Amino acid sequence: MRLDVNLLDYVLIAIYFATVLGIGLAARKRISSSLDFFLAGRGLPAWVTGLAFVSANLGAIEILGMAANGVQYGAMTVHYYWIGAVPAMVFLGIVMMPFYYRSKVRSVPEFLRRRFNGATQLLNAITFAVAQVLIAGVNLYALAIVMEALLGWPLPVSVVVSAVIVLAYITLGGLSSAIYNEVLQFFVILAGLIPLTVLGLIKVGGVSGLADKVRQSSLGEGGLHTWAGTAGENPMQAHWIGIVFGLGFVLSFGYWTTNFAEVQRALSARNTNASRLTPIIAAYPKLFIPLVTVLPGMIALVLFNGWGEGQDYNNAIPLLMRDLLPNGVLGVAVTGLLASFMAGMAANISGFNTVFTNDIWQAHVRKERDDGYYLRVGRIATVAGVALGVGTAFIAAGYTNIMNYLQALFSFFNAPLFATFIIGLFWRRMTPWAGFWGLLAGTAAAFVSYIAYKAGIVNFGTELNASFWGAGVAFVVDVIVSVAVTLVTTAKPVEELRGLVYGLTAVDAEDDALAGDARWYRSPVLLGTGAIVLAAVMYGVIL
């Protein structure tokens, strides 16, 4: 796996690292309050936050994970984008961001405290913090794989060095540093992956050559389709009900609408309309990301042997880089990979430090201290989050396909949260303790479902399909418990729910529209509808 890098490749990588740290130093000058550190002062334009939104998700999940899925499951992997991301991103922008942004909350757990109670806030804050540390470990592990291939360093050394680089620029500049670096990283990632995809297609004889070779592979004809066979046999062993309900609804909406690591980017926008446009702008590049993640995985499937036996699925992208890219281009590709993992981990850590500081420490441990105190706590939490991420990186190392691990985490933490959130948003009668017990029961149900699958009590076919069904179980249990508890407990007065529940507008809500917001190309509804239509059209090409 050692990559044949030369001086030119190292120079390109060094330039990138110097730029990243330079952005961190420049952003540090703008940090004068905790709002600057945690939410970039809420002053960024929509195109910046939109690119940061999609780049924050372009970590190990996208690059190594989706390529690994391309090898293991073929074209069905695009479900994670076209039904598993875009509709939920549009829903977040059109429906949910006005509630988040206008309520002036600093995080998703804080919104839950206002809608329900402090116990619900604390439960969500703890589960979110745990999830972000675990996912940061995935990104660190993926980054370490590249460093090991590049420099030949042992995994522990690679993990620690990678962590220090990310720690430096987040601690310096907070969310502003992370976001501006994510915009840069978006373009660097594409500059690395596009040549890899093009050269890979040339190697296998173009799209038609790839299709012929996939048919002859272990995936067979099923590896070239998305919906065909989802009522029977297919590479993912997933039924269309699990895909639509488990992935397309519960997992997708649970992740994109309540995951603070993503929502935080939209909260840093300069006004309500910009915050709504943030995930919708991100949805357009998201539609085309499979061309540089899933497609290379399918190319790796037909070019290399031993997948799932002696060959780790996570090695698809590094193997292609090793065999296809000339020096110079190789340096750009390695830089793109490093950028993607750093963007992903930066999103995890910036979300972790905000939630830990505001929703655990300030809300429940040390209340009513001065702003400078919480700014210091945020920087300490950043260091602690990175240190914990180093430890969890070795958990991720135990999985041959990190996407399976990540989807299990999402079913545990995001699926039940979405149920609690969506019911509380549209049903004003839902009570504070219904929020807490519903969330707790849903989370427990997801764990029970996963353990039952691992113990062989229930057979879902594949670990990925088990996550789809586990998410569905968590959602249903959360709904049932929430309704049951609501019927025997007292709801909040209507006046306390204004601005937090659909149909109850806050009496002090101000119009923060800027000049030009009324133009058609700044309409969240119009642009969001366009993204969903485009996703449907792309599905039509590879049913």
Side-chain angles (χ1 to χ4, degrees), residues 336-352:
L337 273 184
L338 296 176
S340 72
F341 306 141
M342 290 169 68
M345 187 180 178
N348 303 139
I349 298 302
S350 59
F352 171 84

Side-chain angles (χ1 to χ4, degrees), residues 375-406:
L375 180 58
R376 291 192 297 275
V377 170
R379 286 201 162 104
I380 294 170
T382 302
V383 177
V386 172
L388 292 169
V390 170
T392 60
F394 297 97
I395 298 176
Y399 284 76
T400 59
N401 184 339
I402 53 178
M403 179 53 72
N404 291 338
Y405 174 51
L406 286 163

Side-chain angles (χ1 to χ4, degrees), residues 307-380:
W307 295 110
E309 298 171 4
Q311 189 65 267
D312 194 320
Y313 293 116
N314 297 324
N315 289 334
I317 292 292
L319 285 170
L320 289 173
M321 289 170 55
R322 182 195 68 185
D323 287 8
L324 297 180
L325 297 183
N327 291 111
V329 179
L330 179 61
V332 173
V334 171
T335 303
L337 273 184
L338 296 176
S340 72
F341 306 141
M342 290 169 68
M345 187 180 178
N348 303 139
I349 298 302
S350 59
F352 171 84
N353 64 24
T354 302
V355 166
F356 177 84
T357 303
N358 296 329
D359 299 293
I360 297 177
W361 197 260
Q362 182 178 6
H364 298 279
V365 181
R366 290 285 186 273
K367 301 179 181 180
E368 299 178 1
R369 303 293 288 270
D370 64 88
D371 189 69
Y373 172 81
Y374 295 116
L375 180 58
R376 291 192 297 275
V377 170
R379 286 201 162 104
I380 294 170

Side-chain angles (χ1 to χ4, degrees), residues 82 86 283-285 287-288 528-541:
W82 299 343
V86 171
Y284 281 88
L287 286 164
F288 298 97
T529 302
I532 292 176
V533 169
L534 188 54
V537 169
M538 295 175 77
Y539 260 134
V541 176

